[in-house]
């Protein structure tokens, strides 16, 4: 019975991994590089940031399993709850600050990281001069 649960769980995880590739055109031909499970305790947040190069692939898709929170990508703020999937790719990962806002309850999500088409350099933040050689590799 224990082995069967593992098989069912692995099959469900594979279906979730394939979902962004089926629903979002730019994910279609990109390999899933790795899967990351994360828990945010109630009151915790992922502060505003831009993703570093070249870590974590070019595109991410997160599925909220338990709990919920608000997510902000640039000026857009939206709510995610259990069963919701959201994706961030390219420009939204490297040019735009994004964050997961604090929530009073715990949040558990699974993030799938895809693609190796990241840029060679981080773009400058608005109002911050870009220095030659600002590489984050």
């Amino acid at each position: 019975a224990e082995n069967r649960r593992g098989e069912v769980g692995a099959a469900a995880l594979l279906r979730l991994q394939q979902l962004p590739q089926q629903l979002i055109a730019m994910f279609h031909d990109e390999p899933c590089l790795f899967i990351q499970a994360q828990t945010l305790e109630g009151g915790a947040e992922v502060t505003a940031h831009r993703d570093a190069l070249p870590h974590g692939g070019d595109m991410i898709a997160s599925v909220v399993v338990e709990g919920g929170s608000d997510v902000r990508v640039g000026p857009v703020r939206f709510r995610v709850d259990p069963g919701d999937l959201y994706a961030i790719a390219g420009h939204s990962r490297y040019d735009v600050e994004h964050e997961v806002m604090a929530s009073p309850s715990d949040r558990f999500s699974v993030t799938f990281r895809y693609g190796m088409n990241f840029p060679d350099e981080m773009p400058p933040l608005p109002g911050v001069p870009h220095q030659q050689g600002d590489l984050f590799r």
Side-chain angles (χ1 to χ4, degrees):
E2 190 68 34
N3 188 35
R4 180 71 183 130
R5 279 196 304 240
E7 291 173 12
V8 170
L13 199 55
L14 179 60
R15 284 192 304 277
L16 284 176
Q17 174 185 325
Q18 294 168 339
L19 196 57
Q21 294 166 316
Q22 295 167 354
L23 297 175
I24 305 169
M26 68 187 311
F27 282 67
H28 180 71
D29 292 324
E30 296 296 332
C32 182
L33 304 173
F34 64 94
I35 301 168
Q36 173 184 359
Q38 58 225 12
T39 299
L40 282 178
E41 294 180 355
E45 63 186 343
V46 177
T47 59
H49 66 284
R50 296 184 310 156
D51 294 327
L53 296 172
H55 308 290
D58 190 40
M59 302 174 284
I60 66 166
S62 291
V63 177
V64 179
V65 178
E66 185 178 301
S69 62
D70 285 354
V71 173
R72 184 186 63 79
V73 180
V76 178
R77 185 173 171 157
F78 54 94
R79 176 84 186 162
V80 293
D81 289 306
D84 290 343
L85 174 130
Y86 66 96
I88 303 175
H91 168 74
S92 298
R93 291 203 60 212
Y94 307 117
D95 297 359
V96 178
E97 287 191 330
H98 49 277
E99 63 187 311
V100 177
M101 315 301 273
S103 176
S105 61
D106 292 353
R107 175 181 178 234
F108 177 71
S109 60
V110 178
T111 298
F112 302 90
R113 297 180 176 269
Y114 302 83
M116 296 296 290
N117 298 317
F118 45 81
D120 290 332
E121 292 189 16
M122 291 289 285
L125 284 170
V128 177
H130 184 64
Q131 301 290 322
Q132 181 67 18
D134 278 349
L135 294 178
F136 289 84
R137 288 189 176 253

